């Protein structure tokens, strides 16, 4: 996952999150924040609302069950479980 640098989010390693498909709303699993990147990176084009406009943020690595329902490279939405 990527967090845009303009958003202030208190997330830390070990936090629980829900991971759901952006297009198939019945697909959802619980995940855990495995690690958080230490530097600002360019967010890949496929995650931008306007592909031509570069945006930056930090990478957040989420651990989900190996037998999850998602397709490889499926776009998902990650939310803290306390929302």
């Amino acid at each position: 996952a990527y967090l845009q640098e303009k958003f202030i989010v208190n997330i830390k390693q070990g936090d629980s999150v829900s991971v759901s498909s952006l297009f198939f709303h019945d697909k959802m699993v619980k995940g855990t924040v495995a690690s958080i990147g230490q530097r600002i990176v360019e967010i890949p084009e496929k995650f931008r609302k306007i592909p031509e406009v570069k945006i930056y943020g930090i990478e957040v690595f989420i651990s989900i069950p190996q037998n999850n329902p998602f397709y490889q490279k499926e776009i998902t939405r990650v939310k803290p479980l306390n929302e």
Side-chain angles (χ1 to χ4, degrees):
Y2 293 90
L3 280 173
Q4 281 189 13
E5 64 181 335
K6 69 180 181 178
F7 296 114
I8 298 172
V9 178
N10 292 327
I11 193 165
K12 60 186 179 301
Q13 190 172 350
D15 284 354
S16 294
V17 296
S18 71
V19 182
S20 58
S21 173
L22 199 59
F23 301 109
F24 303 102
H25 302 290
D26 59 327
K27 293 182 181 182
M28 186 175 3
V29 297
K30 181 180 173 184
T32 305
V33 175
S35 66
I36 300 171
Q38 298 298 312
R39 58 191 175 111
I40 302 292
V41 296
E42 182 180 331
I43 295 178
E45 188 176 301
K46 78 179 213 174
F47 298 118
R48 304 179 204 160
K49 287 186 180 180
I50 305 170
E52 298 79 26
V53 177
K54 292 183 180 186
I55 56 175
Y56 298 87
I58 59 169
E59 288 181 294
V60 178
F61 297 90
I62 309 293
S63 174
I64 60 174
Q66 197 168 21
N67 60 345
N68 67 74
F70 305 116
Y71 297 115
Q72 187 173 6
K73 297 187 179 184
E74 183 171 355
I75 298 175
T76 57
R77 173 174 284 137
V78 179
K79 291 184 177 182
L81 277 179
N82 58 3
E83 278 191 0

